[in-house]
Amino acid sequence: MTNTKITVTPGDGIGPEVTQQAVKVLHAVAQRFDMTLDIQEVPVGGTAYDLAGTPLPDETLQACKSADAVLLGAVGGPKWEALDYSVRPERALLGLRAELGLYANLRPAQIYGDLVGASTLKPEVVEGADIMVVRELTGGIYFGKPRGVAEENGERVGRNTLVYSESEIRRIAKIGFEIAQKRSKRLTSVDKANVLEATELWRDVVTEMSKDYPDVELNHMYVDNATMQLIRAPKQFDTIVTTNMFGDILSDGAAMMTGSIGMLPSASVGGSNGLYEPVHGSAPDIAGKDLANPLATILSLGMMFRYTFNQGDADTLIQNAVIKTLETYRTGDIMSEGKQQVGCQEMGDRVLENL
Ligand code: NAD
């Protein structure tokens, strides 16, 4: 028997509703895989600010640091929008990622079952598409120095710096290659090596590393072409590895191919544990109404089993239960003719039934 410590941070808005459904699934899957759970629930975001005057209280941070994995709902909402930037709920996310050393963000974009109709792209273009974007999360232009806006020669000048060291490129590329190995062994490295020297280095390092992964077919693509190809023919991609900014943009683009924000899971890994969360925010417009789609959070839990606990079978079990559930039941955001509309809680119950 393994003893597994999971910290749940429900957060704000629909966060508590969707994490509650995922925790139901967590208990059932853990039982199936003979895992003993030690689950701790702690506040984060606006809820934490209301209780402790900070969106990331020390107690929450320690509970996340000492866990094997963290499941996060979402943070933010109109109630906290006027707060100073330093204590806004969203700051908790940046703090957590930095403190946990999570430098790799994994964003799958997959069409589940007959949800193909939810995409704005033609069914024949997206049917069967299954992409994993591996985004570098703690470096690049979002963090490089010098940065800021300063007065120079009588006018304001804005400046950001794109910096990548060889070791930063190596560690994210390693994750890209290893994930490609577990999928269909195709890796696309996206850069702008024709214009940006920092990504010329990126391309060189990734190419050097490919010698250690002879089973993975590597190709390189400029980010402008990758954007076009994602919309033109998404099925040509399997795993994509890229910089922080390119990954930020491409992962949202790839995700929207699926058509619904309520279906998108994510994982941040690289440190000693992993942070798993739906891509969507706290959806204040539907919070507390039992309308939220819990599947993104449930699928994030699946990623936790695959990437932190090395239990790919558990992830497959969860994904299959989701696909089966979608054959009959839908939440409002993905409702289509002939299906039965259910709320957040019932969707969780139906997935449990289909496990
Ligand atoms: P949002 O993702 O919360 O909502 C966008 C739209 O999608 C809304 O109409 C919402 O009802 C719908 N939606 C989102 N998730 C859904 C779900 N699971 N089921 C059904 N419908 C769903 O984005 P927003 O409105 O721009 O932001 C709201 C708040 O969330 C803001 O405070 C923002 O800063 C925060 N936010 C947090 C995160 C996070 O915690 N990771 C991410 C994005 C936004």
Side-chain angles (χ1 to χ4, degrees):
M1 281 255 200
T2 42
N3 200 344
T4 306
K5 189 169 174 202
I6 296 173
T7 294
V8 179
T9 51
D12 311 320
I14 61 168
E17 300 168 55
V18 293
T19 47
Q20 197 187 10
Q21 304 316 308
V23 169
K24 290 199 291 207
V25 174
L26 170 60
H27 281 293
V29 176
Q31 200 175 17
R32 190 84 66 90
F33 284 80
D34 238 2
M35 290 165 75
T36 311
L37 297 177
D38 171 7
I39 300 179
Q40 190 180 0
E41 198 176 299
V42 288
V44 75
T47 314
Y49 176 82
D50 288 348
L51 288 169
T54 163
L56 184 58
D58 219 34
E59 190 187 297
T60 296
L61 181 59
Q62 293 315 322
C64 293
K65 276 186 164 171
S66 64
D68 295 306
V70 180
L71 181 69
L72 188 133
V75 298
K79 185 179 174 192
W80 303 283
E81 260 163 25
L83 289 178
D84 183 72
Y85 182 69
S86 62
V87 287
R88 288 255 188 93
E90 292 78 2
R91 295 292 299 170
L93 294 181
L94 298 179
L96 262 182
R97 285 174 189 157
E99 290 282 342
L100 299 178
L102 306 170
Y103 60 82
N105 188 222
L106 316 183
R107 289 270 304 263
Q110 190 178 347
I111 305 274
Y112 290 97
D114 56 358
L115 270 189
V116 63
S119 176
T120 51
L121 299 181
K122 289 182 192 141
E124 62 270 27
V125 173
V126 288
E127 195 154 29
D130 181 0
I131 300 171
M132 174 69 82
V133 180
V134 179
R135 166 190 171 194
E136 200 288 324
L137 201 57
T138 54
I141 198 164
Y142 291 0
F143 293 92
K145 289 184 179 147
R147 64 184 299 159
V149 179
E151 193 84 16
E152 285 175 25
N153 303 321
E155 63 174 345
R156 283 174 301 162
V157 176
R159 181 174 287 108
N160 289 94
T161 308
L162 174 61
V163 195
Y164 271 116
S165 67
E166 192 174 342
S167 56
E168 280 177 306
I169 302 168
R170 274 189 192 282
R171 65 180 188 178
I172 188 74
K174 181 171 185 284
I175 292 202
F177 278 109
E178 288 175 357
I179 286 181
Q181 276 180 324
K182 289 183 189 157
R183 293 168 51 92
S184 73
K185 299 185 167 50
R186 285 183 295 123
L187 179 67
T188 303
S189 173
V190 174
D191 59 42
K192 189 75 183 169
N194 50 344
V195 177
L196 302 171
E197 287 87 346
T199 68
E200 204 180 328
L201 176 68
W202 176 286
R203 185 176 285 219
D204 289 347
V205 172
V206 175
T207 305
E208 282 161 31
M209 288 180 69
S210 67
K211 296 184 187 87
D212 299 332
Y213 301 89
D215 53 332
V216 176
E217 185 191 320
L218 170 71
N219 73 318
H220 301 274
M221 211 177 263
Y222 296 137
V223 65
D224 41 349
N225 185 28
T227 309
M228 287 197 286
Q229 296 300 331
L230 257 182
I231 292 163
R232 192 188 69 83
K235 280 184 263 187
Q236 70 184 282
F237 295 103
D238 181 74
T239 307
I240 293 174
V241 64
T242 190
T243 65
N244 199 341
M245 182 163 71
F246 296 161
D248 189 5
I249 300 164
L250 284 179
S251 61
D252 272 15
M256 267 306 107
M257 173 190 83
T258 68
S260 172
I261 195 162
M263 294 294 305
L264 299 170
S266 83
S268 299
V269 298
S272 53
N273 60 12
L275 174 72
Y276 296 84
E277 57 180 320
V279 167
H280 61 73
S282 59
D285 52 333
I286 57 166
K289 297 179 181 163
D290 195 34
L291 289 175
N293 182 349
L295 296 179
T297 315
I298 290 171
L299 292 166
S300 302
L301 177 72
M303 293 186 80
M304 181 190 292
F305 277 100
R306 183 175 296 274
Y307 294 108
T308 292
F309 306 140
N310 279 319
Q311 298 266 28
D313 289 355
D315 183 26
T316 305
L317 182 76
I318 291 172
Q319 288 194 39
N320 286 341
V322 166
I323 291 167
K324 179 106 181 60
T325 305
L326 287 169
E327 284 172 10
T328 314
Y329 301 100
R330 299 288 172 89
T331 42
D333 58 314
I334 48 170
M335 184 57 193
S336 73
E337 226 183 288
K339 308 291 179 189
Q340 193 176 324
Q341 189 166 336
V342 294
C344 182
Q345 286 210 28
E346 188 172 348
M347 189 54 123
D349 291 339
R350 298 296 175 193
V351 172
L352 263 187
E353 264 172 29
N354 284 320
L355 271 178

